Amino acid sequence: MTGVKAAAQAAMQAVMKKAVALAPDSWIPGGEPDPLIRHKHGLIGAAISRIDGPLKVAGQARFSAEFPMERMTYAALHYSTIAKGRITAIDAASARAAPGVVLVMTHENAPRLNPTPPFMSKPKAAGGDSVPVMQDDRIHWNGQPVALVLAETQEQADHAQSLIRVSYAPEAGVTSMASARAQGPEQGYFRGEPLKLEQGDAEDLLAAAPHRVDAAYSTPRHNHNSIELHAATVAWSGDELYIHDATQAVDHVAWSIAEAFGIEERQVRVTSPYVGGGFGSKILWQHQILAAAASKLAGRPVRIMVSREGVFRIVGGRTVTEQRVAIGAQSDGGFDAIIHTGTVAMTPHNNLPEPFILPARSAYAAKSFKLDVKTVKLNMVANTFMRAPGESVGTFGLESAIDELAFDLGMDPIALRIRNEPDKDPTTGLPFSARHIVEAWGAGAERFGWDKRNAQPRAQRDGDWLIGLGCATATYPYYRMPGGAARIVLRKDGHATVSISAHEMGMGTSTVQTQIAAERLGLTMEQVTFEYGDNTLPGVVLAGGSQQTAAIGGAVIAAHRKLVGELLKLAGNDSPLAGLKPDEVGGFDGGLCSLQDPSRSESYASILARARQDEVMAEADGSPPLEGQHWSMHSHGAMFCEVRVNAVTGEVRVSRFLGSFDCGRIINAKTAASQFRGGIVMGLGLALMEETQFDERTGRIMNPSLAEYHVPVHLDVPMIEVMWTDEPDPHTPMGARGVGEIGITGVGAAVANAVFNATGKRVRDLPITLDKLL
Amino acid sequence: MRFNINGQPMEADVDTRTSLLDLLREHLELFGTKKGCNQGACGACTVLVDGQRINSCLALAVQYQDREIITIEGLGAPGSLHPLQAAFVEHDGFQCGYCTPGQICSAVGMADELARGVPSYVTADIAAEAIDVTDEELRERMSGNLCRCGAYNGIIDAIRETLAQAASADVKREAA
């Protein structure tokens, strides 16, 4: 997006936002609480095992590369070895002559494609970047696909790919932060707004403050590394394309591929019933488009399963951040100034400046703020969304700095945080929809035994092991994106099917949504089928931003309301429900009943039988998601960590971890706990080991494997305790806020703060590897 | 080539370069065994060969003819789950479910190693007659199976419970 266009869009959004902020509550979705919030002892909140669990543990859940087809071909990719320049020649003669080879595709014979719409450029854009896919001889990053081989078997494709020789005319690329910075940093924009905010004169107040911390923090590149590789099984039938994909955005992928091929969206079917982990990575990258293009040329189905190295080469990860955090405080701990600024790397072809300042916008009260994200452009694979983009690494800087300030002030770091608890959103002035972080801190501290912590570093030792405790705030916004729509079909035998094009990547979507629908309709879970993972179903629902539960919830509320209206019409004047309005009835025990007088009820079977109908159907769009501009809506957590650091080797072991969350109402105690723990485990990786090593001379990723990119393994993870306030948010569907991303936030700082407490060493550069502690 | 998989004789005409993993997935349509790295780093492809756990991505199919191969499909199916599979569901020892078959096969192989008294890096007393099955012992022995969803706590809970139930069943049998 150009600066002028972005600025115009930002100005427009600002006007709209003001109007929504000032509107009466009753005009806003969520102004009237979801009636489901009142249901106290039903399915909502229960610890229910995953309904797809038996399939998954038996190996019978079918992932994208697991759909057999007649005349299947297998794809292998060949990647560029330079970061910028031109292809001068491709010698593919040996590859074409190799046994089993069906096709070698390069920019010379690939079908002509339109540029891929990059994510966030249009409502349904899904591209990781806008680089033309194998359309010309230009190289934009080291690792860009330059050839694709199709063969009868994977072995033949892999071998033939290895025979391809590419000659390049390299050009000087930008592959280091220093050279990128020399080109001039630009303003970062996120969701159409500049990542820049100044209130009061923060630098002056900082300089004048009796206590201050002012430090530089840095975080490296990360890769999602979901265990399922990026894969697709692709087949054309005439002009219609079918993709079994591994994606968290079926509609976005379908629309964007249709744009690339210049066909109608309805000609593309994308299904994705099971996804083996996504964490932000499973959107549209070159492999699905290349597979579809190759399939078109060869006239045969294609299976593409990108190698683990390939995932590092063509699927972007989280980008590098360089942050400054400065906080000025009075002696009683009150903040005069919060400054959080810095620079992130991105590419000329994507839209995500890692928005690390988001936590500082709403976490604490202060007299002044200065927040700013600048971007620099590198020749590298386009960075993308990875679990809690912004908050995961932003909380590392902010929450480390608060710990440093607390130590300087001689204050308990929890007390310092509570001292600066805001009573309304500190930067927008909006009221909070619900905020119970102080309760979360209290419950967590008591459970963890925080009062036994010695604030003096290096005070606790067990043989060679130094022991320390640390804490940090976790924070993530509530989002509900536009586009949600759902269909409910209720049969006369009392079975309901709820359909929406949502996703199950392990978050528990299918289980949780079955629970919710059953509770709303007054049915058992066995009487409800939840259909998802198919772009032909209603709605456009991204599994991202921890918004899916809310987006589905908002759509199902609308469809349910319509369904109840239909049922009341069908019930007519002979029903005990006669005269009641949709708002006056609820689902109960296989039928509808009056909320005022539960003795006035009629079963669905009875209503439909009298109306002589086999089923009733309702489909509706979710309300426009204005609540997020009317209230300040955020989840929080209080994160506690105990580390043991070896005084001889510097090895860090996390021995205890507790997360105490305030995320609205928890819908499924079992799956939500797993989401929290899973986020925390990824946070332990961010804190201690994860780093995508980028060679600044060549622009090449140097550790593209799970052997060299270390993620937490069993032995790295202690029993993690999680707890929650379970306070419903009155303004969200079901009273819930998302739980997928908040778990990773705050963890980096909680570990770093515990390491400081154990050793007296402050590590401001992630990951905290042992060399930094010797 | 002839194979014995989950107690069934199977035949396939495959390239000698074909890994045991690709044989299972691409030629026999046994998709329960998963590919996560294809280089022995993640454990998603773990199967049992003559009762021992191996990474099937690092095994050439041609070398495994006439060996007794058990995959996740051979352990149990929905409706007749292996106790460990049922415990994984109960303890939510997974989220996306992709590493799960490998975790379960690995745990079955590991249980046998524990029973045979094979020590690990964290075994406190390698001379002891029976290995003290601590969480640390289980975690170390399962560390070759990565789970990016971070379901490690649930996996260890499921394995611990299943081992304890098997041990108490053994005690009851002996007493009888």
Side-chain angles (χ1 to χ4, degrees), chain B residues 4-143:
Chain B
N4 172 0
I5 299 170
N6 300 326
Q8 304 285 321
M10 292 190 181
E11 280 188 38
D13 179 16
V14 296
D15 198 314
T16 49
R17 294 170 296 189
T18 307
S19 67
L20 179 55
L21 172 60
D22 283 342
L23 170 82
L24 294 169
R25 287 175 64 84
E26 303 299 341
H27 299 276
L28 302 176
E29 295 185 9
L30 289 168
F31 291 112
T33 307
K34 303 302 182 191
K35 185 183 281 188
C37 71
N38 215 26
Q39 55 185 179
C42 77
C45 64
T46 305
V47 298
L48 297 160
V49 176
D50 299 333
Q52 292 198 31
R53 51 181 175 164
I54 66 163
N55 285 327
S56 62
C57 72
L58 296 183
L60 288 172
V62 64
Q63 296 178 292
Y64 287 81
Q65 298 183 79
D66 304 319
R67 306 274 297 271
E68 191 185 305
I69 297 163
I70 302 286
T71 69
I72 192 70
E73 290 91 345
L75 288 180
S80 59
L81 294 177
H82 183 281
L84 193 57
Q85 290 173 317
F88 265 64
V89 175
E90 174 59 28
H91 292 281
D92 217 27
F94 58 93
Q95 294 199 66
C96 77
Y98 197 78
C99 74
T100 314
Q103 300 275 358
I104 291 171
C105 287
S106 186
V108 170
M110 178 197 66
D112 185 57
E113 290 160 26
L114 280 169
R116 286 188 283 121
V118 180
S120 83
Y121 168 69
V122 300
T123 306
D125 179 5
I126 58 170
E129 211 158 282
I131 289 169
D132 183 15
V133 184
T134 60
D135 282 1
E136 174 108 332
E137 192 68 69
L138 296 178
R139 286 188 195 122
E140 160 61 17
R141 288 166 188 266
M142 289 299 294
S143 281

Side-chain angles (χ1 to χ4, degrees), chain A residues 21-275:
Chain A
L22 295 174
D25 285 3
S26 59
W27 292 10
I28 303 297
E32 289 296 321
D34 180 356
L36 216 49
I37 294 174
R38 292 195 301 265
H39 291 223
K40 292 294 180 205
H41 304 291
L43 294 166
I44 306 296
I48 293 170
S49 293
R50 286 166 204 273
I51 58 175
D52 53 10
L55 279 181
K56 286 180 172 178
V57 297
Q60 292 187 14
R62 284 286 157 269
F63 292 85
S64 60
E66 300 173 354
F67 292 87
M69 286 187 182
E70 291 292 320
R71 302 180 70 234
M72 183 81 87
T73 59
Y74 293 83
L77 297 173
H78 190 91
Y79 307 105
S80 83
T81 53
I82 64 164
K84 191 181 181 195
R86 288 181 183 280
I87 299 166
T88 52
I90 300 179
D91 177 2
S94 310
R96 285 200 179 88
V101 170
V102 173
L103 172 75
V104 176
M105 186 172 79
T106 69
H107 70 275
E108 289 161 350
N109 63 336
R112 291 305 94 191
L113 300 170
N114 299 316
T116 316
F119 201 57
M120 295 184 81
S121 64
K122 295 271 171 61
K124 284 193 268 187
D129 61 40
S130 59
V131 170
V133 179
M134 218 171 260
Q135 296 296 296
D136 56 34
D137 60 359
R138 297 237 42 119
I139 300 297
H140 301 272
W141 81 89
N142 194 326
Q144 178 183 324
V146 292
L148 176 147
V149 177
L150 281 190
E152 301 288 344
T153 70
Q154 191 67 56
E155 292 80 19
Q156 291 168 334
D158 289 342
H159 174 66
Q161 174 280 120
S162 75
L163 303 174
I164 293 173
R165 295 289 173 269
V166 182
S167 307
Y168 300 97
E171 295 165 13
V174 180
T175 53
S176 73
M177 284 297 278
S179 57
R181 219 180 280 110
Q183 312 261 326
E186 297 168 30
Q187 185 61 51
Y189 282 82
F190 183 62
R191 291 164 64 88
E193 294 178 46
L195 286 166
K196 186 178 174 70
L197 186 146
E198 291 199 44
Q199 292 182 356
D201 198 330
E203 295 287 0
D204 280 359
L205 283 169
L206 176 73
H211 295 271
R212 60 183 164 267
V213 57
D214 190 346
Y217 301 86
S218 50
T219 64
R221 291 173 175 78
H222 295 137
N223 275 75
H224 313 75
N225 274 319
S226 48
I227 301 297
E228 182 200 24
L229 296 160
H230 285 61
T233 305
V234 175
W236 289 88
S237 168
D239 289 335
E240 302 202 339
L241 176 62
Y242 197 133
I243 306 179
H244 292 285
D245 199 7
T247 182
Q248 46 198 98
V250 284
D251 283 287
H252 300 69
V253 166
W255 181 84
S256 299
I257 286 195
E259 288 288 301
F261 283 88
I263 57 179
E264 297 296 320
E265 184 180 5
R266 61 179 163 71
Q267 291 171 269
V268 183
R269 172 103 186 264
V270 178
T271 57
S272 192
Y274 297 99
V275 181

Side-chain angles (χ1 to χ4, degrees), chain A residues 257-340:
Chain A
I257 286 195
E259 288 288 301
F261 283 88
I263 57 179
E264 297 296 320
E265 184 180 5
R266 61 179 163 71
Q267 291 171 269
V268 183
R269 172 103 186 264
V270 178
T271 57
S272 192
Y274 297 99
V275 181
F279 316 114
S281 74
K282 285 190 170 140
I283 52 170
L284 178 62
W285 298 94
Q286 287 205 4
H287 65 283
Q288 296 109 312
I289 296 172
L290 287 170
S295 176
K296 203 170 179 63
L297 282 187
R300 291 177 63 176
V302 170
R303 172 162 304 152
I304 188 162
M305 191 171 211
V306 182
S307 67
R308 182 57 62 180
E309 177 187 347
V311 173
F312 279 85
R313 300 266 175 257
I314 70 166
V315 175
R318 195 194 305 285
T319 196
V320 61
T321 74
E322 297 175 346
Q323 309 172 30
R324 174 194 176 207
V325 185
I327 305 172
Q330 293 295 318
S331 300
D332 68 355
F335 293 165
D336 286 348
I338 295 179
I339 298 173
H340 199 169

